[in-house]
């Protein structure tokens, strides 16, 4: 991460379902790399990929005094990746972010390509941006928790 110019503080955005399984590993790995790490929890579900929860993320990023080189780590499926990516695209006019996709859809589709968005009451993904992550870290072993035998079974 340091060799990508990322430093200082980091924040991991996740939901309670995924956070319970993997957040401790992300935090310990970021802390070992010298980051001061905070967490932002979004409730689990498509309905929370919303402008209201995006605003909650901005509130927390400001509270944690996240700076321009402070990475956002999106830990979860496509919902978390999309809302965390859009927060990264827009907070301080753009901060670095890293995708750690934990569903099959997120690993093969939503974490790559740089499409970020939140939903609007009038429709899905109506507010968003194209914004590429600095890194996409994929571990197919996490799919076992989702019942995908052998990762892609
Ligand atoms: N940006 C893009 O290019 C793109 C492409 C396709 C879809 N999407 C978006 O992706 C979203 C759907 O993503 P999704 O299908 O990953 O759904 P999701 O993010 O809601 O995840 C599905 C469920 O699996 C849980 N989960 C995630 N990882 C887990 C793990 N390792 N073990 C156990 N449970 C786990 C989640 O908490 C959730 O309950 C939609 O909002 C869609 O619009 C975006």
């Amino acid at each position: 991460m340091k060799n990508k110019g990322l430093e200082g503080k980091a924040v991991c955005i996740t939901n309670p379902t995924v956070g319970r399984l993997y957040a401790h590993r992300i935090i310990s790995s970021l802390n070992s790399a010298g980051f001061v790490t905070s967490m932002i929890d979004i409730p689990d579900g498509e309905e929370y990929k919303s402008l209201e929860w995006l605003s909650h993320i901005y509130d927390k990023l400001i509270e944690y005094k996240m700076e321009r080189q402070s990475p956002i780590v999106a830990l979860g499926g496509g919902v978390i990746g999309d809302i965390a990516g859009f927060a990264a695209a827009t907070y301080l006019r753009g901060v670095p972010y890293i995708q750690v996709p934990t569903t099959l859809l997120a690993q093969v589709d939503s974490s790559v390509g740089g499409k970020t968005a939140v939903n609007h009451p009038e429709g899905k993904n109506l507010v968003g941006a194209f914004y590429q992550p600095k890194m996409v870290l994929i571990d197919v072993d996490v799919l076992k928790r989702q019942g995908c035998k052998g990762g892609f079974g």
Side-chain angles (χ1 to χ4, degrees):
M1 303 249 298
K2 291 255 158 94
N3 64 3
K4 299 213 173 283
L6 310 180
E7 58 188 16
K9 299 174 184 173
V11 69
C12 175
I13 301 180
T14 190
N15 71 33
T17 311
V18 181
R20 206 167 22 246
L21 296 170
Y22 304 115
H24 59 288
R25 293 194 211 172
I26 296 284
I27 291 170
S28 117
S29 160
L30 287 166
N31 289 348
S32 302
F35 290 92
V36 176
T37 312
S38 305
M39 295 292 304
I40 301 176
D41 246 347
I42 303 295
D44 189 351
E46 179 72 34
E47 65 269 40
Y48 302 104
K49 201 179 96 175
S50 65
L51 291 161
E52 288 75 14
W53 282 93
L54 178 68
S55 182
H56 170 76
I57 292 175
Y58 293 142
D59 291 346
K60 288 291 178 188
L61 295 174
I62 292 164
E63 179 187 326
Y64 298 152
K65 298 186 169 47
M66 294 288 287
E67 293 154 359
R68 205 169 294 281
Q69 288 311 312
S70 311
I72 288 176
V73 178
L75 172 68
V79 166
I80 289 294
D82 276 12
I83 191 170
F86 188 54
T90 48
Y91 177 69
L92 296 180
R93 302 191 182 98
V95 297
Y97 79 114
I98 294 159
Q99 291 273 18
V100 186
T102 60
T103 63
L104 180 59
L105 177 140
Q107 293 192 350
V108 303
D109 188 354
S110 61
S111 69
V112 290
K115 285 195 280 177
T116 74
V118 293
N119 300 326
H120 183 275
E122 294 300 318
K124 259 176 75 66
N125 298 326
L126 286 186
V127 183
F130 287 93
Y131 191 63
Q132 295 292 346
K134 288 273 181 202
M135 275 192 267
V136 181
L137 299 178
I138 294 176
D139 180 348
V140 293
D141 276 353
V142 302
L143 301 180
K144 289 175 186 161
R145 301 270 191 169
Q146 289 229 299
C148 291
K149 291 195 178 70
F152 293 96

